[in-house]
Amino acid sequence: MINWAETGRKILCRDDLDPQERTELLTRVQEAESAGSVFEYKRNPTSPEAVTNFWQAFIRVSIENSGAEIDVPQVPPCDRTPEELEALKQEGRMMVYNPGFSYPVHGKVFPKMNSYSVKEDSPIKDKGAKSGWVDVEMDIDSPNIDTKEDDLEKLFKSQKRNGMRLSTYIWAGQASKVLTGKYFDQGSTYSRLLSSSHDGSVVSASFFPVGWLYVHWLLSPEYHRPFLGGRSEGVKRA
């Protein structure tokens, strides 16, 4: 069977393509890669290879679609076994590769978000490693609703996980749109992200259905509501 995406990539390396031909071919290659990786991932979400291929294609196509001059990172193989991926699936979790970009770069990759948090002077600070594989909740509406910061900290500690970073939320939310047709928290809930802060305050975030990203930072640690939850991210356990 012909791998049209791979064949197209080879043709794109030629020097005899005019600009219009190159643009049209790149679009078709991106469509083929996206469709193929999504199909493979949905068919076998507990395959480390399918997970890796999806994230490599998703990150590359997202960057290329943006038109920004950003180097495409090489995604390392997924660090979970099929058995571990099956256990995560049963928990309602999925794998995310966070490439460790700065927030302004996130704004260039996904300009539709149009948020102060991904502008050149982004004030967002993260705790934890910048790049790598993490597992996250797949819920569209925020999990762990009606909780305070302390409630979430205790819960995630008991799970041996950390509060989510805004950067992970962005990649997971954008992947959710591709896989399910919906962004995280689109229009109904908000999620506290304990590992990201603005001026020392934990941020909360949500997506609008059109792709805008809303990031808020003035919540009291004691504030809780039925529409406010919190998300986590976990690394491979030794």
Side-chain angles (χ1 to χ4, degrees), residues 187-220:
S188 56
T189 55
Y190 299 85
S191 291
R192 268 194 174 103
L193 308 175
L194 296 185
S195 291
S196 289
S197 62
H198 177 178
D199 288 341
S201 296
V202 167
V203 303
S204 62
S206 65
F207 276 101
F208 287 81
V210 294
W212 300 337
L213 175 67
Y214 177 78
V215 179
H216 186 61
W217 75 96
L218 294 177
L219 293 181
S220 162

Side-chain angles (χ1 to χ4, degrees), residues 47-117:
S47 162
E49 182 179 6
V51 173
T52 303
N53 290 343
F54 168 75
W55 279 97
Q56 182 68 74
F58 178 60
I59 292 173
R60 178 173 61 242
V61 171
S62 296
I63 291 173
E64 291 176 347
N65 281 343
S66 73
E69 295 184 1
I70 301 168
D71 291 335
V72 177
Q74 182 63 41
V75 175
C78 176
D79 63 1
R80 312 298 172 92
T81 65
E83 294 75 19
E84 289 171 323
L85 291 174
E86 177 62 35
L88 290 172
K89 180 183 175 184
Q90 296 303 317
E91 289 185 65
R93 301 182 72 87
M94 66 179 287
M95 292 301 296
V96 170
Y97 185 74
N98 187 328
F101 293 156
S102 68
Y103 282 107
V105 171
H106 283 90
K108 293 176 181 178
V109 177
F110 302 112
K112 188 184 293 186
M113 294 191 299
N114 194 32
S115 168
Y116 80 92
S117 64

Side-chain angles (χ1 to χ4, degrees), residues 141-157:
D141 289 344
S142 186
N144 311 307
I145 60 171
D146 207 13
T147 48
K148 305 173 185 177
E149 280 187 28
D150 186 58
D151 297 329
L152 292 172
E153 288 172 355
K154 290 177 180 177
L155 174 62
F156 298 155
K157 183 177 181 180

